[in-house]
Amino acid sequence: MTARKKRIRKAVLPVAGLGTRFLPATKAMPKEMLTVVDRPVIQHVVDEARAAGIEHFIFITGRNKGVIEDHFDSQFELERTLAERGKKSELELLSRDLPDAGQTSFTRQQAPLGLGHAVWCARDIVGEEPFALLLPDMLHHADTPCMADMIRAYDKHGGNLVAVSPVPKDQTHLYGIVGVENAKDKVSPITKMVEKPPRGTAPSNLHITGRYILQPEIFDLLSQQERGTGGEIQLTDSMIRLMDEARQPFHAVRFDGDIYDCGSKIGFLLANVAYALARDDLGPSLKAELRKMV
Ligand code: G1P
């Protein structure tokens, strides 16, 4: 059993998905660059990882995703123009968000073979250390960022961790679902995991929300992983083998904030409303306008 406690320095962000649910908006623009208020979805997720102390961001990209790389680079002409015009606060905003040189890596998935395959593409960049994984579609909105909570739990328990939250019973077939020792505990050992269980067979209503801390042994398992649900190489299937066969510990960390699935139109719209309402500069006037509207 491995419960190594190496520090979590790197985060993997799979951003290769086509975004077909948002056509035509995503015809030429990656879905991860759609804005929630005034920040791209992917920036919100990087913000969450940075708030948890992550130092290196590994993007698993695909064709037509080049603009994500540009977004996390400096923009010389823009910065010079802002400086010439004395736009100090805008300049500060840009420099605050910019990762240091060498803190980002980009690699292409090449073929849409599933989440497990996307994560496996990061193996050489991650190397032999545990890492964070954040699925960018799922925005986790809370006072304490979800990944910060998970790193705290990792510091205590080590091993592998998965963020979970309850979903209505009629939605369990849409997600990875875990069974835990004690569903009331904030952090509880996982006893069972299954990817998208057929209706009526889920071990609980706790779904995997898209935030993980994984040990590097997952990569060997992913390299041999056969296709699972939906004909795709499923990350959950390799996690099950890491837990059941390699006997590594897995804990569920309950996330108590709000989750917005920005891969769906309604989730994306709600995220915009929620993030704007939470801001001092926009919240009060938006609330007043919404009251008039509905
Ligand atoms: C993936 C994971 C699933 C998880 C979900 C969260 O599924 O495989 O376990 O619950 O993300 O969004 P996907 O949404 O890619 O079908």
Side-chain angles (χ1 to χ4, degrees):
M1 174 136 69
T2 353
R4 280 179 291 174
K5 283 260 203 68
K6 283 192 189 164
R7 201 158 69 81
I8 311 294
R9 302 185 307 125
K10 298 180 182 176
V12 173
L13 301 123
V15 292
L18 292 177
T20 45
R21 284 191 282 177
F22 274 90
L23 285 169
T26 50
K27 188 176 167 196
M29 181 181 65
K31 62 175 173 165
E32 296 80 9
M33 290 302 292
L34 293 170
T35 50
V36 168
V37 191
D38 49 12
R39 299 170 84 66
V41 168
I42 187 68
Q43 179 75 62
H44 286 285
V45 180
V46 166
D47 291 347
E48 181 193 332
R50 283 180 107 180
I54 297 294
E55 294 163 3
H56 193 116
F57 305 90
I58 303 165
F59 297 86
I60 313 301
T61 73
R63 292 175 66 237
N64 298 329
K65 300 282 181 168
V67 69
I68 296 177
E69 196 164 342
D70 292 340
H71 178 77
F72 290 102
D73 191 6
S74 68
Q75 247 270 31
F76 178 71
E77 293 86 351
L78 173 64
E79 283 154 24
R80 192 180 52 190
T81 308
L82 290 174
E84 281 167 5
R85 294 186 184 168
K87 303 247 177 214
K88 270 195 174 165
S89 62
E90 286 84 352
L91 265 176
E92 269 165 32
L93 180 79
L94 291 184
S95 83
R96 200 186 60 212
D97 287 344
L98 187 67
D100 279 347
Q103 282 192 321
T104 52
S105 298
F106 298 83
T107 189
R108 287 197 182 199
Q109 191 183 2
Q110 297 180 342
L113 298 176
L115 176 61
H117 179 258
V119 173
W120 177 74
C121 292
R123 65 200 179 282
D124 283 348
I125 308 174
V126 170
E128 286 299 310
E129 56 184 286
F131 61 99
L133 168 65
L134 298 95
L135 307 191
D137 277 350
M138 305 297 268
L139 285 188
H140 288 54
H141 197 222
D143 292 338
T144 312
C146 180
M147 188 47 72
D149 253 3
M150 292 186 71
I151 291 200
R152 246 192 309 279
Y154 170 80
D155 289 341
K156 189 161 174 212
H157 300 277
N160 303 269
L161 298 103
V162 177
V164 301
S165 106
V167 282
K169 286 229 161 70
D170 63 355
Q171 287 177 24
T172 50
H173 65 288
L174 301 172
Y175 299 99
I177 301 289
V178 305
V180 296
E181 271 180 21
N182 189 345
K184 290 203 180 104
D185 289 349
K186 169 85 181 165
V187 183
S188 180
I190 295 180
T191 52
K192 199 166 170 42
M193 273 187 280
V194 50
E195 181 64 19
K196 304 197 174 81
R199 284 170 195 272
T201 66
S204 82
N205 69 338
L206 291 175
H207 85 295
I208 298 175
T209 69
R211 299 292 181 270
Y212 312 75
I213 288 174
L214 296 169
Q215 296 293 328
E217 288 77 13
I218 194 77
F219 292 121
D220 270 352
L221 296 168
L222 283 170
S223 71
Q224 308 144 14
Q225 188 61 52
E226 286 177 6
R227 290 171 191 244
T229 307
E232 297 190 338
I233 297 171
Q234 295 290 351
L235 174 66
T236 308
D237 292 344
S238 287
M239 295 199 305
I240 293 168
R241 287 164 56 218
L242 191 57
M243 182 172 80
D244 291 347
E245 292 164 28
R247 312 219 54 83
Q248 284 208 15
F250 269 80
H251 284 83
V253 181
R254 211 190 52 238
F255 176 67
D256 294 317
D258 297 310
I259 297 173
Y260 300 99
D261 178 1
C262 289
S264 85
K265 284 178 194 153
I266 195 79
F268 174 71
L269 293 170
L270 289 172
N272 268 285
V273 174
Y275 278 69
L277 284 175
R279 275 182 38 173
D280 294 340
D281 59 337
L282 295 169
S285 46
L286 178 62
K287 196 183 244 176
E289 293 297 330
L290 283 175
R291 282 218 176 95
K292 280 191 238 162
M293 195 184 267
V294 290

